[in-house]
Amino acid sequence: MTGKTIIVSNRLPVKIQEKDGVYSSSASEGGLATGLGSVYQEGENVWIGWPGTEIVPDRQEEITAQLAELSLLPVFLSQEDISEYYEGFSNGVLWPIFHYYASIYSTYKQSNWGFYQQVNQKFAEVVLQVAQPGDTVWIHDYQLLLLPALIRAQLPDVSIGFFLHIPFPSFQLFHLIPWRRELLEGLLGADLVGFHTFDDMQHFTQACARLLHVNLSSNIISLPDRLVVAEAFPMGIDEQKYAALTESKEVKEEIKQLKGIFANMRTILSVDRLDYSKGILQRLQAFEELLRNNPEYQEKVVLYMIVVPSRDTVPQYKHLRDEIDKRVGNINSLFRTLNWSPVHYFYRSFPIETLSALYATANVALITPMRDGMNLVSKEYVASRTQNNGVLILSEMAGSSRELIDALIVNPNNMNMMTATIRQALEMPAEEQESRMIKLRKNVSKFNVKHWVRIFMGRLREVKELQQSLRTRYVGELTTKAIYKFYAKTSNRIFFLDYDGTLVGFNAEINKASPDEKLYRILQNLAANPSNKVVIISGRDYQTLEKWFGHIPVTLVADHGAWQKLDGHWESMPALDAQWKKNIQPVLEIFADRTPGSFIEEKTYSLAWHYRNVESGLGELRAGELVDNLRFITADQGLQILPGNKVIEVKNIEINKGKTVLALLQGQQYDFAMAIGDDHTDEDTFKAMPENSVTIKVGSNSSAAKYYVNDVEEVRDLLQGFITIVPAQGLGG
Ligand code: GDG
């Protein structure tokens, strides 16, 4: 049975009004509210968020009751909370950095951060009042980056999805934030982290790999207790609503009026919230240049510009507003004639019907943000063009430009391109407009907001199933007994044992991690039983394995399978090339030179850069950079990059422990097969093992192995049991 769904966002999808001491609330029709409407209003489901205004304590109960009718649950915030957490940290630190505005004047106030933490905690408390194991929580946006981990800590058995509506910046930008680690750790409380674009997703996973000790395999981040998936889910709109609006009586009336006002005139529409990320000033500049360089457009073209008031108590926004006023004033005073004003500028919001009429009538939509997570306005314009005409000009910095590829795509910093593209749009023949708009509409209608919700929720369920399938069980007393019993009944057995991190602990000096007496005894006794074949399968070079284990009757596999000792002789995998090493070695050397304590290990078919002795933090940082560099230069070279425990290794793609395991199992009839390992090269071993084998991961419960143990001591105890406990209990062997 699945539990309920809880949506969490900074603001509730509701407008609260107070008149003469009486509060009333009405649902608002934002994009998110439309998309999630069918979700939060169902059954026990609920939407949690701030009601948008400060409510005095003695009225909070009443508001809570009112909102409950709408399936909403409020988080009450004080004025101070809002100014520090929302205006200070969310909009003063996260918003600019995430939109690539890193100012040298940025101030990172500790008190803003303190409130950000506290308010996220307040949200967590409200979520925890209603959430239960088995429920699904879907958290939205940059104001709540810490919330996933806060909920996870109290309630490990919930599904948590997170969606970021704004861009996730590249590493160099994200790196600037003093609390960058805490922010990532907060997000990694989620099971699924969604972004508008593939780039944002990659920026996030790279930040995790570089700043935290996590293993990354494409878009999957492995944490010790579970894996987290990051993915792109481009958000859509309710396209039918926008198409239907154009047919409504009210909108038709407004369309008629607009057509009357702008008869013989071509209109360019621009709609944004007041924000420096939206490129409003640059757009005005482009329009001014268009008029200056193309006098034929005078009295023929109008820029209809709506700027919706937003955050204008913040000095920066107020300044932007003043700048826009000035620029509009300049353009109008420069070009205005008796019958014509080039810019029709409105600093206010309009009812959706007016917006719809503008979308339906504007010949061109000029949407040129400097950075935008998605930009829904561009999609709304397309959805409103039911006659398949009109031209969309779209900035390549908007997430929507990845999908709306039939728009005219511009770089908003390139003024020549901007003006040339506006001309191209104004002059575009009807057939071209139609063929482009048909394709745009198809896209907007297929990937609509319902589709977005369905795909996100579906993926979250899949991630949960994936986690479940990888969740291994601890080898407790009962399991150990069962394993020993199984062992006792069999007579042709094979053991695949990894070395570092499995049979011996991690040592800062690679050559100090040599086998001790106790380990020799265990291995010798285990291998002395003629029914047992013991394979040590390691990433170490063959010379080292020979030195340590050459004298005991075990099979040795070195260098992750590149070398094997069969019948007393070391043999390498046939037809492997090692020419690539001369290209990669210099890169590793640069990193070794720049990173005190790190060193390079050369094996026959691989090169490894070790950073176990590097100052903590620096090693991880350099490792991330190295992986990025290597990805770039190893593409198409048939090489694999393996980030291991304090090591980055590069080797031929053909080398893989799993392949070696398969080769050793081939044609043999083992009735007992066991594999133990600790890092992700051992995952290949686990996957290659036969169905009924015993696979054991060391130190983590998220693995393809069936069971896990905590540490090397537990591995040794388990192996020791085959030698002492099994015979002692008369179980045979
Ligand atoms: C954030 C991200 C991402 C605008 N003027 C009026 C009005 N609007 C509505 C539009 C549209 C919405 O506001 C604006 O959405 P955007 O997506 O364009 O931009 P942000 O507000 O910055 O949204 C953005 C989005 O989250 C979703 O993930 O796309 O990148 O920054 O729906 O129609 N609505 C009415 N009157 C107006 O005057 N009624």
Side-chain angles (χ1 to χ4, degrees):
M1 227 184 65
T2 50
K4 62 180 169 304
T5 299
I6 301 166
I7 307 287
V8 195
S9 66
N10 173 54
R11 285 284 293 268
L12 283 173
V14 77
K15 291 183 204 122
I16 300 240
Q17 275 127 11
E18 191 242 30
K19 206 172 168 201
D20 305 331
V22 179
Y23 286 106
S24 63
S25 48
S26 56
S28 70
E29 350 90 339
L32 196 60
T34 316
L36 296 173
S38 58
V39 178
Y40 80 93
Q41 284 158 344
E42 230 172 62
E44 297 265 276
N45 297 354
V46 60
W47 187 323
I48 293 174
W50 175 52
T53 172
E54 187 178 12
I55 311 277
V56 288
D58 58 354
R59 305 293 298 275
Q60 291 180 355
E61 210 170 300
E62 167 198 340
I63 293 285
T64 308
Q66 249 185 50
L67 292 175
E69 311 256 309
L70 301 167
S71 301
L72 305 174
L73 183 56
V75 179
F76 295 111
L77 301 180
S78 68
Q79 203 42 55
E80 197 183 17
D81 286 338
I82 286 303
S83 83
E84 297 260 357
Y85 138 86
Y86 183 61
E87 288 158 11
F89 197 77
S90 303
N91 293 339
V93 175
L94 297 178
W95 179 276
I97 295 272
F98 279 43
H99 285 86
Y100 294 74
Y101 283 87
S103 154
I104 46 167
Y105 305 111
S106 289
T107 47
Y108 298 103
K109 281 202 210 140
Q110 194 67 35
S111 75
N112 286 169
W113 167 242
F115 271 88
Y116 188 78
Q117 290 173 297
Q118 276 173 37
V119 172
N120 270 257
Q121 186 62 47
K122 277 194 186 176
F123 272 81
E125 279 155 22
V126 178
V127 172
L128 291 167
Q129 283 168 20
V130 291
Q132 302 204 319
D135 287 350
T136 299
V137 185
W138 189 3
I139 302 163
H140 292 265
D141 231 358
Y142 61 103
Q143 301 91 351
L144 301 173
L145 299 178
L146 304 177
L147 188 55
L150 293 172
I151 298 173
R152 173 79 55 204
Q154 300 301 317
L155 209 56
D157 293 324
V158 282
S159 292
I160 304 179
F162 183 94
F163 190 83
L164 186 70
H165 290 261
I166 64 174
F168 195 98
S170 67
F171 183 70
Q172 298 307 339
L173 269 290
F174 185 70
H175 202 212
L176 296 174
I177 305 172
W179 307 280
R180 60 216 178 179
R181 271 168 173 274
E182 288 87 337
L183 294 173
L184 291 178
E185 281 162 1
L187 274 173
L188 288 179
D191 300 299
L192 176 63
V193 187
F195 302 89
H196 282 306
T197 70
F198 183 75
D199 275 351
D200 298 325
M201 180 277 275
Q202 270 205 323
H203 291 156
F204 167 69
T205 52
Q206 276 164 14
C208 289
R210 282 183 166 205
L211 290 169
L212 307 175
H213 300 254
V214 294
N215 238 315
L216 175 67
S217 163
S218 77
N219 63 333
I220 301 180
I221 298 158
S222 306
L223 303 178
D225 63 332
R226 87 207 126 79
L227 52 80
V228 178
V229 174
E231 221 158 280
F233 301 93
M235 184 177 169
I237 59 163
D238 181 354
E239 95 293 357
Q240 283 174 1
K241 176 174 114 182
Y242 284 89
L245 264 171
T246 63
E247 294 301 317
S248 76
K249 213 173 126 233
E250 221 178 323
V251 174
K252 277 186 160 165
E253 188 52 42
E254 294 214 31
I255 291 177
K256 212 165 111 195
Q257 280 180 18
L258 283 169
K259 283 193 169 156
I261 300 170
F262 296 117
N264 306 322
M265 200 78 75
R266 270 167 288 175
T267 48
I268 302 174
L269 178 65
S270 145
V271 180
D272 309 272
R273 261 186 326 96
L274 177 72
D275 202 289
Y276 45 85
S277 66
K278 301 287 182 182
I280 302 171
L281 290 174
Q282 291 80 353
R283 200 172 309 157
L284 284 168
Q285 189 189 339
F287 187 62
E288 182 177 338
E289 285 187 22
L290 178 88
L291 295 181
R292 181 167 296 121
N293 301 333
N294 302 275
E296 70 274 19
Y297 286 139
Q298 295 189 11
E299 299 197 322
K300 293 281 180 292
V301 174
V302 158
L303 174 63
Y304 203 99
M305 183 171 229
I306 297 178
V307 176
V308 181
S310 162
R311 307 177 194 172
D312 51 4
T313 49
V314 181
Q316 224 174 0
Y317 285 76
K318 214 176 149 299
H319 178 72
L320 174 64
R321 188 194 145 173
D322 294 343
E323 285 295 302
I324 296 173
D325 274 349
K326 253 196 255 162
R327 196 148 237 164
V328 169
N330 272 347
I331 300 176
N332 279 343
S333 52
L334 267 174
F335 298 99
R336 187 176 15 225
T337 63
L338 274 179
N339 316 314
W340 173 69
S341 244
V343 186
H344 289 228
Y345 167 55
F346 303 86
Y347 182 67
R348 50 169 284 204
S349 75
F350 287 90
I352 193 160
E353 289 73 19
T354 309
L355 202 59
S356 162
L358 286 165
Y359 284 149
T361 48
N363 302 86
V364 177
L366 184 57
I367 298 172
T368 54
M370 308 311 281
R371 239 356 119 164
D372 218 336
M374 171 52 66
N375 191 293
L376 299 180
V377 170
S378 54
K379 295 190 171 181
E380 293 164 3
Y381 176 70
V382 168
S384 308
R385 306 304 300 187
T386 51
Q387 307 303 310
N388 292 330
N389 57 9
V391 184
L392 172 63
I393 302 180
L394 185 56
S395 159
E396 63 188 25
M397 311 295 174
S400 58
S401 70
R402 312 298 155 89
E403 297 167 85
L404 303 181
I405 50 174
D406 294 288
L408 297 181
I409 307 286
V410 291
N411 174 348
N413 296 304
N414 184 339
M415 274 303 137
N416 287 344
M417 187 185 197
M418 289 268 276
T419 49
T421 309
I422 299 173
R423 268 187 35 210
Q424 185 191 349
L426 290 169
E427 304 303 328
M428 189 180 283
E431 308 79 65
E432 186 180 346
Q433 290 185 26
E434 185 176 9
S435 79
R436 285 177 183 267
M437 196 50 80
I438 288 174
K439 288 187 232 157
L440 289 168
R441 285 186 62 208
K442 219 176 186 173
N443 189 295
V444 168
S445 114
K446 181 162 178 202
F447 300 103
N448 62 23
V449 70
K450 299 251 164 69
H451 177 268
W452 176 72
V453 172
R454 203 169 48 241
I455 297 280
F456 186 92
M457 292 300 230
R459 189 71 180 117
L460 182 53
R461 274 190 295 276
E462 280 169 24
V463 172
K464 269 317 212 199
E465 281 162 20
L466 185 64
Q467 287 176 348
Q468 219 57 47
S469 72
L470 286 177
R471 182 150 303 161
T472 53
R473 278 188 293 137
Y474 180 64
V475 183
E477 221 174 292
L478 277 180
T479 317
T480 313
K481 251 196 186 146
I483 294 172
Y484 289 156
K485 262 196 171 157
F486 178 27
Y487 172 93
K489 279 198 226 131
T490 54
S491 57
N492 189 16
R493 315 182 188 102
I494 188 160
F495 294 80
F496 293 98
L497 307 175
D498 167 55
Y499 182 71
D500 289 273
T502 300
L503 295 177
V504 297
F506 207 68
N507 197 304
E509 273 190 53
I510 191 166
N511 294 321
K512 285 216 175 125
S514 54
D516 51 274
E517 269 318 304
K518 188 174 170 195
L519 179 61
Y520 278 129
R521 261 202 314 278
I522 293 173
L523 292 174
Q524 254 156 345
N525 286 326
L526 197 61
N529 185 329
S531 303
N532 296 348
K533 180 180 173 100
V534 177
V535 183
I536 293 181
I537 181 164
S538 161
R540 293 257 178 184
D541 60 41
Y542 75 90
Q543 293 90 340
T544 308
L545 288 193
E546 177 61 31
K547 187 169 86 195
W548 287 344
F549 300 109
H551 61 289
I552 60 173
V554 292
T555 301
L556 298 175
V557 176
D559 211 345
H560 296 111
W563 289 89
Q564 279 181 37
K565 192 180 181 190
L566 294 171
D567 308 323
H569 299 288
W570 280 101
E571 278 175 24
S572 75
M573 261 176 89
L576 280 184
D577 169 40
Q579 290 295 319
W580 56 266
K581 283 205 280 183
K582 64 176 187 303
N583 299 330
I584 304 295
Q585 179 109 20
V587 180
L588 299 191
E589 268 162 15
I590 294 173
F591 277 77
D593 289 347
R594 279 171 53 199
T595 319
S598 72
F599 64 94
I600 299 170
E601 183 190 6
E602 180 172 1
K603 293 182 248 180
T604 331
Y605 297 110
S606 78
L607 283 172
W609 178 77
H610 290 270
Y611 60 97
R612 48 175 93 192
N613 300 328
V614 177
E615 175 194 339
S616 119
L618 177 68
E620 286 69 28
L621 183 71
R622 290 277 199 271
E625 281 177 36
L626 176 60
V627 169
D628 282 351
N629 268 277
L630 289 172
R631 279 217 180 99
F632 184 68
I633 50 181
T634 57
D636 305 333
Q637 287 202 40
L639 298 175
Q640 53 182 328
I641 304 164
L642 295 176
N645 200 350
K646 305 266 184 199
V647 59
I648 306 293
E649 188 153 8
V650 189
K651 60 160 56 110
N652 294 55
I653 215 148
E654 298 89 346
I655 303 174
N656 162 336
K657 285 185 178 176
K659 285 192 179 171
T660 312
V661 167
L662 283 177
L664 287 167
L665 291 172
Q666 204 181 19
Q668 306 291 327
Q669 297 297 324
Y670 294 108
D671 47 12
F672 179 97
M674 179 177 217
I676 316 182
D678 74 312
D679 75 12
H680 81 272
T681 62
D682 301 309
E683 294 295 317
D684 295 327
T685 305
F686 299 144
K687 287 179 202 147
M689 295 291 281
E691 186 60 32
N692 65 346
S693 47
V694 181
T695 47
I696 300 179
K697 173 92 168 178
V698 187
S700 147
N701 70 351
S702 179
S703 163
K706 284 187 196 143
Y707 307 103
Y708 78 96
V709 294
N710 288 314
D711 52 32
V712 170
E713 281 317 305
E714 293 186 9
V715 175
R716 290 180 174 207
D717 289 348
L718 183 70
L719 293 177
Q720 180 64 38
F722 292 119
I723 303 153
T724 44
I725 300 176
V726 175
Q729 293 189 346
L731 293 169

